[in-house]
Amino acid sequence: MVVTSRDVARLAGVSQPTVSRALRDDSRVSDATKVRVREAAQLLGYVPSEAGRALSSGRTRRIGLLLTDLDNQFYSHIIAPVHRELEALGYQLMLHTETADNDTIVERLLANGLDGLILATTTVESAAPLRLKDRGLPFVYFNRIGSLIEADATVVDPVDGYKQAVDRAVELGHRRIGAVLGPTNTSTAQARESALRDAVLSHGLTLAEADTRKVSRFSADEGEAAAASLLSAPDRPTVLFCGNDVVAYGVLNAAHRAGLRVPEDLSVVGFDDLPEAAWPIVDLATVRYDIIGMAEAAADLIVRRIENREAPIENVRFASSFVPRRTLAAAQAG
Amino acid sequence: MVVTSRDVARLAGVSQPTVSRALRDDSRVSDATKVRVREAAQLLGYVPSEAGRALSSGRTRRIGLLLTDLDNQFYSHIIAPVHRELEALGYQLMLHTETADNDTIVERLLANGLDGLILATTTVESAAPLRLKDRGLPFVYFNRIGSLIEADATVVDPVDGYKQAVDRAVELGHRRIGAVLGPTNTSTAQARESALRDAVLSHGLTLAEADTRKVSRFSADEGEAAAASLLSAPDRPTVLFCGNDVVAYGVLNAAHRAGLRVPEDLSVVGFDDLPEAAWPIVDLATVRYDIIGMAEAAADLIVRRIENREAPIENVRFASSFVPRRTLAAAQAG
């Protein structure tokens, strides 16, 4: 049997609207009645329907997290902290993935009655921000800043991290620097490429076209394939900077398959400092920032925005720094 | 401006209830009127409120996935396929994590208006199945079979996989077999331990207490700590079977820290065959089953159950088999 508010009303001896008001803690209901209604609800095991509550309050307390690619391990490390932080703030997380049909995703999100959205897709050509703004659904950018549509954002500044990493590589004798960069159509890859090129240039060196590859997705498989093509050349860079750690894992796999020792024959540097990068069997030199802090900040920003639409727009920037580990060592004597 | 069904009704020249009926494809509305209402809705960019729809249809088309521990990498590999399969079937995934308060989680799930639930928590003492049954919320077990409350389930049979793995280890000269088992209160760890012990016994050997550790969570950190304590003994097993791949990654890390070479000084075998296990830099011998197929089967089962409450209960079993890789090799001559 499904217990309804009618049953609770009958048991508590009040009207049905009084039941919902009492359970919403409405000030029009006396404390004594509230106690009576709650006791009746508990006795019957009554659970107020969320759909009914949403209609009366206009809030669902559900926040979406829109991802491009759930297979990217980077995301598996941010879902948990976003989920935890939202739960602590009294909201629930719904996962959504953006497929090719950008035109319909925003309609689907709206149809799901979300209170707000964390936009963790990074493709720069996405039409989602414009449509979200048109429809008045609050959202925050995760790991990037919007180029056309302004909104709250969390973002990593890769400049310091890459500067320190390249400084260290040059100090270790590396002169021929290569890269396996992230997908061109992502803002994170664009920002990282630009920071890396500047850092290399600051030493009077360049990132040669022949020593550079671009993956079309941030995945270990793509990183491996890209590195395999780079490493098969007779003459190759002594160090590879990678678009992120997941791509770097693939580069390590490619080096292993090609019979190259890391770091003796090839140095490798990642970006993100995911937990696996610190494992002794990986021990990946990388660029770190506060990834958990960024996930929590995104949750905080979207809740603040939902609860105060007029708050000034905020961009929370996270600094980056180099993490020296085994995979970056002295360049082999030419 | 928020467009409401009132606006659509005015533009289409029909009543408000006719708008919702037309958009629900109700047979009481003529096809001509349906076309007119849909055109009006499209023109105005009207999105029917999901809360309103849920109240009228009693369905939210939302399915929950209840996890114990989002940090367990195993889950990050099943979320994507469950999500994709549900989306293909017209349902949406909501993630939930079970905390200590089992008493309230089911109430929270119900309050969220789920149509059904995939129960991927593995703790045997969870009260969730009983409460879900009491409340009439359809659910399926993921990666286990319920011991008290019957429901649809997907489950892995570890017997064949462990038999093959232990046969191979014995063939390679291993006689002193150790293990880093999963948490005692999970049904997966219990089933795996029992399959492993049987396989070892079948060769007239035993899994000695001193050569066995148990982690309290399926995590690389716990695996590393457990293995560190095992490997510090003056005398140690030549091969360690692990509760799952994630635990095995930790065991590999512990061996690395202890200065032991894998597989020369120590062989390691995992369970799950997660993508990382196949990486050349990990190359973990393990037990595999169709993990993606299992995720998809769980999505299929819950949708079938929601749409037909009377269907016979189904247990989908997945066979397991041994995957030989670098980390299992000949035992060192004693």
Side-chain angles (χ1 to χ4, degrees):
Chain A
M1 186 200 81
V2 174
V3 178
T4 68
S5 63
R6 188 185 307 261
D7 303 313
V8 178
R10 206 175 304 138
L11 183 62
V14 299
S15 72
Q16 234 179 313
T18 301
V19 169
S20 27
R21 283 195 203 110
L23 295 177
R24 276 205 318 270
D25 213 19
D26 190 308
S27 60
R28 286 169 292 178
V29 179
S30 75
D31 284 351
T33 304
K34 280 178 193 164
V35 169
R36 206 159 70 240
V37 168
R38 280 185 200 137
E39 281 176 357
Q42 200 170 8
L43 207 68
L44 294 171
Y46 170 68
V47 180
S49 137
E50 182 243 12
R53 258 191 295 120
L55 273 187
S56 51
S57 76
R59 288 268 182 88
T60 61
R61 300 195 80 82
R62 280 202 298 273
I63 290 173
L65 175 62
L66 183 64
L67 309 172
T68 312
D69 184 3
L70 251 173
D71 292 332
N72 179 349
Q73 276 149 300
F74 171 77
Y75 290 130
S76 72
H77 293 292
I78 64 157
I79 292 172
V82 169
H83 181 271
R84 266 196 302 267
E85 184 74 4
L86 286 179
E87 199 158 64
L89 295 169
Y91 286 79
Q92 283 215 300
L93 177 68
M94 286 195 80
L95 275 188
H96 298 269
T97 50
E98 183 173 31
T99 45
D101 52 332
N102 274 324
D103 282 357
T104 64
I105 178 76
V106 172
E107 304 308 311
R108 281 175 37 219
L109 293 171
L110 287 166
N112 260 286
L114 297 177
D115 285 347
L117 185 71
I118 298 171
L119 208 62
T121 58
T122 51
T123 50
V124 289
E125 70 267 24
S126 168
L130 180 62
R131 288 175 177 273
L132 291 168
K133 198 189 169 188
D134 278 355
R135 301 315 208 104
L137 184 71
F139 70 96
V140 304
Y141 292 108
F142 183 83
N143 203 11
R144 68 159 167 148
I145 287 179
S147 45
L148 293 166
I149 310 294
E150 257 206 322
D152 300 310
T154 60
V155 70
V156 174
D157 183 343
V159 169
D160 288 347
Y162 267 140
K163 184 75 178 76
Q164 294 164 20
V166 171
D167 285 357
R168 180 67 186 135
V170 170
E171 199 173 88
L172 287 164
H174 294 278
R175 294 293 175 271
R176 184 153 167 199
I177 294 174
V180 180
L181 303 166
T184 319
N185 65 343
T186 65
S187 56
T188 44
Q190 291 176 356
R192 290 175 196 177
E193 175 172 357
S194 145
L196 178 62
R197 288 194 186 275
D198 287 351
V200 171
L201 264 177
S202 76
H203 288 277
L205 302 168
T206 53
L207 212 57
E209 206 55 45
D211 295 340
T212 305
R213 295 289 183 281
K214 284 184 180 171
V215 294
S216 63
R217 285 173 54 222
F218 281 114
S219 77
D221 286 350
E222 291 250 347
E224 184 172 337
S229 104
L230 253 177
L231 298 176
S232 65
D235 190 32
R236 55 168 197 271
T238 57
V239 60
L240 288 179
F241 283 82
C242 304
N244 74 357
D245 283 353
V246 176
V247 168
Y249 303 154
V251 172
L252 294 176
N253 287 331
H256 197 281
R257 275 193 215 278
L260 297 173
R261 292 163 307 159
V262 174
E264 293 83 350
D265 303 323
L266 178 75
S267 282
V268 178
V269 180
F271 197 105
D272 279 340
D273 197 23
L274 298 184
E276 294 78 14
W279 288 0
I281 58 169
V282 180
D283 214 1
L284 177 69
T286 188
V287 173
R288 86 167 296 282
Y289 55 92
D290 183 2
I291 188 170
I292 304 291
M294 188 164 77
E296 291 171 350
D300 294 346
L301 282 176
I302 188 61
V303 168
R304 191 200 59 150
R305 178 59 55 199
I306 288 165
E307 297 179 354
N308 178 11
R309 300 256 184 153
E310 308 308 320
I313 285 182
E314 205 173 318
N315 287 333
V316 184
R317 295 186 89 84
F318 289 84
S320 62
S321 61
F322 174 59
V323 184
R325 291 208 188 98
R326 186 183 56 85
T327 63
L328 176 63
Q332 242 185 345
Chain B
M1 185 201 82
V2 174
V3 178
T4 68
S5 63
R6 190 186 305 261
D7 302 314
V8 178
R10 205 175 305 137
L11 183 63
V14 300
S15 72
Q16 235 176 311
T18 302
V19 169
S20 25
R21 282 195 203 108
L23 295 176
R24 275 204 319 269
D25 213 18
D26 191 308
S27 59
R28 287 168 291 179
V29 180
S30 74
D31 283 352
T33 304
K34 280 180 193 164
V35 169
R36 206 159 71 240
V37 169
R38 279 183 200 139
E39 282 176 356
Q42 200 171 9
L43 206 68
L44 294 171
Y46 170 68
V47 178
S49 140
E50 183 244 9
R53 257 191 297 121
L55 273 187
S56 51
S57 76
R59 287 267 183 89
T60 60
R61 299 194 80 80
R62 280 201 299 271
I63 289 173
L65 175 63
L66 183 63
L67 309 172
T68 313
D69 184 3
L70 251 173
D71 293 332
N72 180 349
Q73 274 148 298
F74 171 77
Y75 290 129
S76 72
H77 293 291
I78 65 157
I79 292 172
V82 170
H83 181 270
R84 266 195 303 268
E85 184 73 6
L86 287 179
E87 199 159 64
L89 296 169
Y91 286 79
Q92 283 216 301
L93 176 67
M94 287 195 80
L95 275 186
H96 297 269
T97 50
E98 184 174 30
T99 45
D101 52 333
N102 274 323
D103 282 357
T104 64
I105 179 75
V106 172
E107 305 308 310
R108 280 173 39 218
L109 294 170
L110 286 165
N112 261 287
L114 298 176
D115 285 349
L117 185 71
I118 298 171
L119 209 60
T121 59
T122 50
T123 49
V124 288
E125 70 268 26
S126 169
L130 179 62
R131 287 172 177 274
L132 290 167
K133 197 187 170 193
D134 278 354
R135 300 317 207 102
L137 185 71
F139 70 96
V140 304
Y141 292 108
F142 182 84
N143 202 10
R144 69 159 166 148
I145 288 179
S147 45
L148 293 167
I149 310 295
E150 257 207 323
D152 300 311
T154 59
V155 70
V156 174
D157 183 343
V159 169
D160 288 347
Y162 267 140
K163 184 74 178 77
Q164 295 164 19
V166 170
D167 285 356
R168 181 68 186 133
V170 170
E171 198 173 273
L172 287 164
H174 293 277
R175 293 293 173 273
R176 185 155 166 195
I177 295 174
V180 180
L181 303 165
T184 318
N185 66 343
T186 65
S187 55
T188 42
Q190 290 175 358
R192 290 176 196 176
E193 175 173 355
S194 146
L196 178 62
R197 287 192 186 275
D198 287 350
V200 171
L201 264 176
S202 76
H203 288 278
L205 301 168
T206 53
L207 212 56
E209 204 54 46
D211 294 340
T212 305
R213 295 287 183 283
K214 283 184 182 172
V215 294
S216 64
R217 284 173 54 223
F218 282 114
S219 78
D221 286 351
E222 291 251 347
E224 183 172 336
S229 104
L230 254 177
L231 300 176
S232 65
D235 190 31
R236 53 165 198 272
T238 56
V239 59
L240 287 179
F241 283 82
C242 304
N244 75 355
D245 283 354
V246 176
V247 168
Y249 304 154
V251 172
L252 294 176
N253 286 330
H256 197 283
R257 274 193 217 277
L260 297 174
R261 293 161 307 159
V262 174
E264 294 84 349
D265 303 323
L266 178 74
S267 283
V268 179
V269 180
F271 196 105
D272 280 342
D273 197 24
L274 298 184
E276 295 78 14
W279 288 359
I281 58 168
V282 179
D283 215 1
L284 177 69
T286 189
V287 173
R288 87 167 296 283
Y289 54 91
D290 183 3
I291 187 169
I292 304 292
M294 187 164 77
E296 291 171 352
D300 295 345
L301 282 177
I302 187 63
V303 168
R304 190 199 60 150
R305 177 60 53 198
I306 289 165
E307 296 179 355
N308 177 11
R309 300 258 185 153
E310 308 308 321
I313 286 183
E314 205 173 320
N315 287 334
V316 184
R317 294 186 88 83
F318 289 84
S320 62
S321 60
F322 175 58
V323 184
R325 292 209 188 97
R326 186 183 55 85
T327 62
L328 176 63
Q332 241 186 345

